[in-house]
Every structure is written in C-alpha cells, then in structure tokens.
C-alpha cells in the first residue's frame, strides 16, 4: 500500500462508500476466473486483503491459518472474502466513530487545558 496513491489504502474514518469501493476493487492474490481459483487456489502471500486479516482484523492464529488454507485450497473466492471482511471493517469503523464522538469533549477539554476543572 502506498500513501502516494489514495486509492491504495483507506482510513478508518473516511466515508463508508469510499471504503466499500476501495475494498471491492482492491487487487488480490486471486486467479483470473472463479473456476481457475477453485482449481489452483489463491495466493494469500501476495494479497492485501489477507494482509488486512494478518495486521488488523484477525487476532486468532487458528482462524488466520484457516483463512490462509481456505484460500490456498480454493475453498473461498475473493468476492466472498472481500464481502466478509468488509462487514467486519464496517462494524469496527462504526464502533470506532461512536467511541471517538464520545471522547471528543474530553479531548477538547484537555487541549484547552481545563480538564482538571470539570
Ligand atoms: S481468497 Fe482472500 S486471501 Fe485469497 S486471494 Fe482472494 S482475497 Fe486474497
């Protein structure tokens, strides 16, 4: 992912439509056709969607291992995987923005330097 190309990454507080667009159009380690992917398996080792799993969205090593081999064995296709991770990204984003809104007043008070007085 390169910060020079804004389409190659997303920020968690950018618009939901933008995140959906970027994930749905992201490069993957998938094959040219679904038939070929079922036959040859995907390539998670070059896939940014799998990177999202590794670095941000799957803490459980066993689950990560399952995703890796489901991909390698051609048991999941990229469209399904993107839809599935998108659901988790959007739930995370919604929760993140809610927590951010709740803490905004506290942050503003700290910046103004009067957090000790109420
Ligand atoms: S199935 Fe998932 S991990 Fe495998 S190549 Fe496609 S998007 Fe990447």
């Amino acid at each position: 992912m390169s910060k020079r190309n804004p389409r190659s990454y997303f920020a968690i507080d950018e618009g939901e439509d933008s995140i959906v667009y970027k994930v749905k159009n992201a490069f993957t380690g998938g094959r040219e056709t679904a038939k070929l992917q079922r036959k040859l398996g995907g390539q998670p080792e070059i896939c940014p969607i799998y990177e999202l799993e590794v670095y941000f969205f799957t803490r459980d090593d066993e689950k990560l291992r399952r995703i890796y081999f489901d991909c390698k064995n051609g048991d999941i296709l990229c469209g399904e995987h993107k839809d599935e991770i998108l659901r988790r990204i959007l739930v995370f984003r919604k929760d993140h923005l809610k927590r951010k809104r709740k803490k905004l007043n506290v942050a503003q008070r700290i910046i103004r330097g009067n957090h000790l007085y109420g």
Side-chain angles (χ1 to χ4, degrees):
M1 291 195 164
S2 158
K3 284 208 166 193
R4 287 180 186 213
N5 178 0
R7 291 176 68 174
S8 74
Y9 69 93
F10 64 83
I12 209 64
D13 57 354
E14 77 181 62
E16 184 175 317
D17 290 350
S18 174
I19 294 174
V20 170
Y21 178 84
K22 288 176 180 178
V23 171
K24 290 220 176 222
N25 289 286
F27 167 81
T28 69
R31 306 289 178 175
E32 291 77 19
T33 65
K35 189 178 173 186
L36 213 51
Q37 187 154 340
R38 285 197 186 92
K39 186 177 169 194
L40 301 175
Q43 303 164 93
E45 57 280 354
I46 62 163
C47 180
I49 300 298
Y50 187 69
E51 276 184 17
L52 283 174
E53 298 283 13
V54 171
Y55 294 113
F56 300 105
F57 289 99
T58 302
R59 290 186 179 166
D60 179 344
D61 286 347
E62 183 50 39
K63 188 176 176 203
L64 207 49
R65 194 177 159 280
R66 205 167 49 243
I67 294 168
Y68 181 89
F69 284 107
D70 281 351
C71 174
K72 289 301 267 185
N73 296 331
D75 292 335
I76 49 168
L77 299 177
C78 299
E80 299 163 357
H81 192 183
K82 284 177 173 181
D83 287 345
E84 202 273 323
I85 199 169
L86 254 175
R87 272 195 297 278
R88 285 182 281 139
I89 291 169
L90 296 179
V91 166
F92 177 86
R93 176 185 174 277
K94 189 175 173 186
D95 184 51
H96 169 80
L97 294 179
K98 194 171 150 190
R99 282 185 287 123
K100 185 177 167 184
R101 271 193 303 272
K102 273 187 183 172
K103 298 290 182 188
L104 206 54
N105 287 342
V106 177
Q108 285 168 342
R109 283 204 312 268
I110 290 171
I111 288 168
R112 284 196 303 264
N114 60 355
H115 62 287
L116 298 175
Y117 311 108

